[in-house]
Amino acid sequence: MGVGPGPAEAGSLQKDSKVAAAKGQAVRASRKQVFALFASPSTLKGGKSRQAPFHGISQVTMKGLYFQQSSTNEKITFVFQERENLPVAEDNYVKLQVKACALSHINTKLLAEMKMEKDFFPVGREIAGIVLDVGSKVSFFQPDDEVVGILPLDSEDPGLCEVVRVHEHYLVHKPEKVSWTEAAGTIRDGVRAYTALHYLSRLSPGKWVLIMDGASALGTIAVQLAHHRGAKVISTACSPEDRQYLEGLRPALARVIDVSGGKAHVAESCLEETGGLGVDVVLDAGVRLYSKDDEPAAELQLLPHKHDILTLLGVGGHWVTTEENLQLRVLKDVMEKLATGVFRPRLDEPIPPYEAKVSMEGVQKKQGRKKQVVQF
């Protein structure tokens, strides 16, 4: 994800050029076929691209991205499935043309605990788009409004689809100056950061906050929100590149702790920076609950032990773990902070729809550092 194939190895120039040309034709043909799944008839006709008006168009089927989990193991497969055209919006529902959909790791354990397992589960919940139709009881939106929101866990519609139907209470208006990809790529992490720092820890000016993995999609927004509230921020970096990114943020962080080498002691660094008082708030990115002998090595990388977190907390401090706790009433405030520059999301280059399946596979494996957003 985000890394392309390297150049062909040295060999016969003539032979390599023929092979490369053949491969190029095959790739272009494959991409054209997949792109056709998302293209409107006006796009395909004559090879010219133009925006087709969705109002009044009756589409027979559409393509949406779903995931399927093996019954014998936890392996996930992503597949495109045909969907029937959505009916006219009713009651409090809004029919939405999707312009961008962000990709996030799917918590299959949470879905299993909530008894929400299906043969095919829709993919993509953070969406931004244009209102096509509204139900008779919708009071906040009208056709042609630009909106952004988060689909609920029980939504039957995948966000990675041309058109979705969603209850109006899961949407807010998108600020005019905010792009589609910025809106979709910020909304979920903004809500999570807002919930953690505002509702759960009551962060206030002058407080010390430790944000683990501050260069991640969630960490970046949390660092910016903490600064906006006047807090003094310490963060960990999981690589030299992450450290460079964090040290370049303005306002500057009080301290960046590089844990990529495995030698940094987070608790000692925090106590040193705070004069031995400890931090007031910790927002973690996962913790180690057991000894190294009791957990797989992969689960231990760069994660602090729970005792380290307890050691570096000051008196009356708050420890907020990274759980799925979406409080949708703060959606509007998240978008306002994005529009005014408080939030500057760390986004990767927009992904075309035909690369969504491959990109989602990488997201599920937690590869890459930047937020992935599919742009239609």
Side-chain angles (χ1 to χ4, degrees):
M1 184 171 60
V3 179
E9 295 182 358
S12 169
L13 181 60
Q14 183 177 8
K15 180 179 180 181
D16 286 351
S17 62
K18 291 182 178 179
V19 172
K23 288 183 176 180
Q25 291 175 354
V27 170
R28 287 191 293 272
S30 176
R31 287 188 172 184
K32 183 177 292 185
Q33 283 183 331
V34 181
F35 177 74
L37 302 178
F38 293 90
S40 65
S42 62
T43 302
L44 297 178
K45 186 177 181 180
K48 296 182 179 180
S49 176
R50 67 180 179 89
Q51 183 65 52
F54 271 74
H55 298 283
I57 289 183
S58 177
Q59 295 175 316
V60 178
T61 60
M62 297 179 293
K63 288 285 184 176
L65 187 64
Y66 295 79
F67 81 83
Q68 185 178 29
Q69 187 169 6
S70 172
S71 58
T72 57
N73 54 50
E74 297 183 356
K75 183 179 179 181
I76 285 181
T77 303
F78 295 96
V79 295
F80 284 107
Q81 293 281 330
E82 288 191 353
R83 305 175 63 245
E84 293 184 359
N85 190 27
L86 296 175
V88 176
E90 297 178 351
D91 296 336
N92 293 96
Y93 280 82
V94 172
K95 195 173 182 180
L96 191 69
Q97 176 192 354
V98 179
K99 303 295 289 185
C101 176
L103 306 180
S104 294
H105 179 80
I106 298 172
N107 190 337
T108 55
K109 182 178 179 181
L110 175 65
L111 296 177
E113 290 175 351
M114 297 181 67
K115 309 297 183 183
M116 299 182 68
E117 296 174 295
K118 308 176 183 177
D119 292 336
F120 294 94
F121 202 92
V123 173
R125 296 177 56 211
E126 306 123 80
I127 59 173
I130 300 174
V131 174
L132 300 177
D133 189 20
V134 298
S136 59
K137 297 182 180 180
V138 171
S139 56
F140 298 117
F141 306 103
Q142 59 186 3
D144 297 324
D145 281 353
E146 297 183 353
V147 298
V148 57
I150 303 176
L151 298 179
L153 280 175
D154 61 354
S155 173
E156 297 292 332
D157 300 335
L160 262 165
C161 189
E162 285 182 329
V163 179
V164 300
R165 189 175 49 171
V166 57
H167 196 285
E168 66 172 330
H169 291 167
Y170 295 120
L171 300 170
V172 294
H173 286 94
K174 180 185 74 67
E176 185 177 352
K177 64 174 65 176
V178 173
S179 71
W180 298 115
T181 54
E182 286 176 333
T186 305
I187 190 67
R188 176 176 180 266
D189 293 317
V191 171
R192 296 177 72 196
Y194 201 106
T195 301
L197 299 180
H198 179 75
Y199 287 106
L200 299 181
S201 61
R202 302 291 181 183
L203 186 64
S204 58
K207 297 290 187 180
W208 283 98
V209 57
L210 169 65
I211 297 175
M212 308 295 293
D213 196 8
S216 65
L218 170 61
T220 297
I221 298 300
V223 167
Q224 294 165 5
L225 181 59
H227 272 146
H228 180 69
R229 292 193 171 275
K232 293 174 284 189
V233 183
I234 302 172
S235 185
T236 60
C238 299
S239 69
E241 293 77 16
D242 285 355
R243 178 175 182 173
Q244 182 179 10
Y245 170 76
L246 290 171
E247 290 177 342
L249 291 178
R250 295 294 180 270
L253 280 73
R255 188 164 187 165
V256 177
I257 306 170
D258 190 346
V259 299
S260 60
K263 298 180 180 180
H265 297 283
V266 177
E268 293 180 7
S269 298
C270 289
L271 292 173
E272 178 183 333
E273 188 66 35
T274 59
L277 297 177
V279 300
D280 301 292
V281 178
V282 175
L283 175 57
D284 72 36
V287 293
R288 194 167 70 241
L289 301 178
Y290 309 102
S291 66
K292 293 183 178 180
D293 296 332
D294 296 330
E295 286 191 60
E299 300 294 331
L300 295 173
Q301 293 181 355
L302 312 181
L303 295 182
H305 195 279
K306 62 179 181 180
H307 295 306
D308 294 331
I309 301 295
L310 296 174
T311 299
L312 59 84
L313 270 177
V315 176
H318 297 267
W319 175 10
V320 183
T321 60
T322 50
E323 295 292 336
E324 291 283 344
N325 190 358
L326 302 180
Q327 300 197 22
L328 296 169
R329 55 184 173 178
V330 303
L331 289 176
K332 183 177 180 181
D333 197 63
V334 170
M335 283 296 102
E336 289 177 351
K337 284 180 170 54
L338 178 61
T340 56
V342 174
F343 291 159
R344 300 181 301 278
R346 195 182 186 194
L347 305 180
D348 212 335
E349 292 296 321
I351 301 168
Y354 56 79
E355 292 183 1
K357 179 177 177 292
V358 175
S359 297
M360 190 61 215
E361 289 171 351
V363 170
Q364 191 62 21
K365 295 176 182 177
K366 298 184 178 181
Q367 298 173 347
R369 306 295 298 153
K370 299 179 181 180
K371 191 73 173 183
Q372 305 289 310
V373 182
V374 175
Q375 185 169 19
F376 290 85

